[in-house]
Amino acid sequence: MGFARTCSVALVGVEGVVVEVQADLEPGLAAFTLVGLPDKSLSESRDRVRAAIVNSGETWPQKKLTVGLSPASVPKSGSGFDLGVACAVLAANERIAPLTIADLVMIGELGLDGRVRPVRGVLPAVLAAADAGYRQVVVPERTAAEASLVPGVSVLGIRTLRQLIAILNDEAVPEETADRDEGRPDPLLAGLAVPGAGIGTGVSDRQVLPDLSDVAGQHTARRALEISAAGGHHLYLKGPPGAGKTMLAERLAGLLPRLTAQESLEVTAVHSVAGILPPGKPLVDTPPYCAPHHSATMPSIIGGGSGLPRPGAVSLAHRGVLFLDEAPEFSGRVLDAMRQPLESGHVVVARSAGVMRLPARFLLVLGCA
Ligand SMILES: Nc1ncnc2c1ncn2[C@@H]1O[C@H](COP(=O)(O)OP(=O)(O)OP(=O)(O)O)[C@@H](O)[C@H]1O
Ligand SMILES: [Mg+2]
């Protein structure tokens, strides 16, 4: 009966794979089946999509509905497929012309009220779409600036499903108010040390990192820092409490050269998957600084976790500085796991769903009293 397809992107680490979202409506008992290796968070998509469509003033098809995500072999995780699934269903039900969405790549989570909510990893997803030859993407409005960093792709940022339906049907686009939590930082991420975070975040467009200008004396340590920055040498800082180890390590990132355009995209992609990009300023163009506590867990340092895996500290410090204060206090397993990124510039995390590779090329600074 009704069939429609559109595209979305599955993330494997910081690499995206374009996924075709197909919806098929057949006469029969009303049911909604989702196939194509979805994980738990994606299976919940069915309930979000149904509620969002109904609450956007559309009718839910009372038929046998099958939504397939292919290639089925790629593990899919997270809520970013919601928007693609909703549009494929609406097109199969002839509410949207199927041809208008066939070449679009859609990324976004749906709220039950039909709001389109931001997801992690929009930049790598849009990069993958561009590599695969797609020219138009639809993303949550709040991540439109991030998606626009990719050259050659036209980006449509939307606030609600209702807006998207109107745009696709050439109808008058309804005004929608901004989210109440717009711009509010994620409380879970407040403690993460990231580029210029907390220290010397400048007023100019580019982040300004602290440098050696406010370090008094310490000529040997300053020279060591400069040699480390110039030659890309790892550093070991030893000194009594209060000697300035933390202060010096924080300033190393400020001595490193600005990131090139390519490096900026790499670093921004990692931070996008980690969900720590500030809303108004998506491009990370300064070397990041990351200083995990010695009690941090293995996944938080190396990467991993359930669902859509998060990059660890070694990847958040990619192209920047990783400072391990009180280095001997870190567990032996964590220190051992540092060998791979130190040697190869990336880290491979094996999980039940497969193996993912994350960039992790950083300057290591060890601190010890
Ligand atoms: N050479 C210096 N010039 C200016 N300020 C300094 C210098 N050395 C230390 N300080 C100041 O002293 C304070 C303590 O420095 P810091 O926290 O870097 O020491 P630390 O060696 O990391 O100590 P701990 O072992 O307790 O972590 C900071 O506020 C820092 O700004
Ligand atoms: Mg310290």
Side-chain angles (χ1 to χ4, degrees), residues 22-116:
Q22 304 169 334
D24 177 64
L25 279 174
E26 299 287 337
L29 220 52
F32 185 173
T33 319
L34 186 64
V35 296
L37 213 59
D39 79 342
K40 180 87 174 74
S41 58
L42 183 50
S43 299
E44 289 172 350
S45 172
R46 290 184 308 173
D47 300 317
R48 284 193 299 270
V49 166
R50 190 198 316 256
I53 287 184
V54 172
N55 290 329
S56 297
E58 305 293 329
T59 46
W60 183 257
Q62 293 301 325
K63 292 177 188 157
K64 183 172 175 293
L65 167 64
T66 309
V67 170
L69 305 169
S70 69
S73 56
V74 177
K76 299 166 199 74
S77 177
S79 48
F81 297 92
D82 289 3
L83 196 59
V85 171
C87 285
V89 171
L90 287 166
N93 201 25
E94 291 171 4
R95 179 61 182 90
I96 302 174
L99 270 184
T100 57
I101 59 165
D103 291 327
L104 293 184
V105 174
M106 307 206 192
I107 301 150
E109 172 184 319
L110 283 172
L112 300 187
D113 55 356
R115 268 189 186 284
V116 180

Side-chain angles (χ1 to χ4, degrees), residues 214-216 218 240-247 325-326:
D214 52 353
V215 176
Q218 292 283 23
K245 301 183 293 294
T246 306
M247 181 189 192
D325 204 0
E326 318 294 350

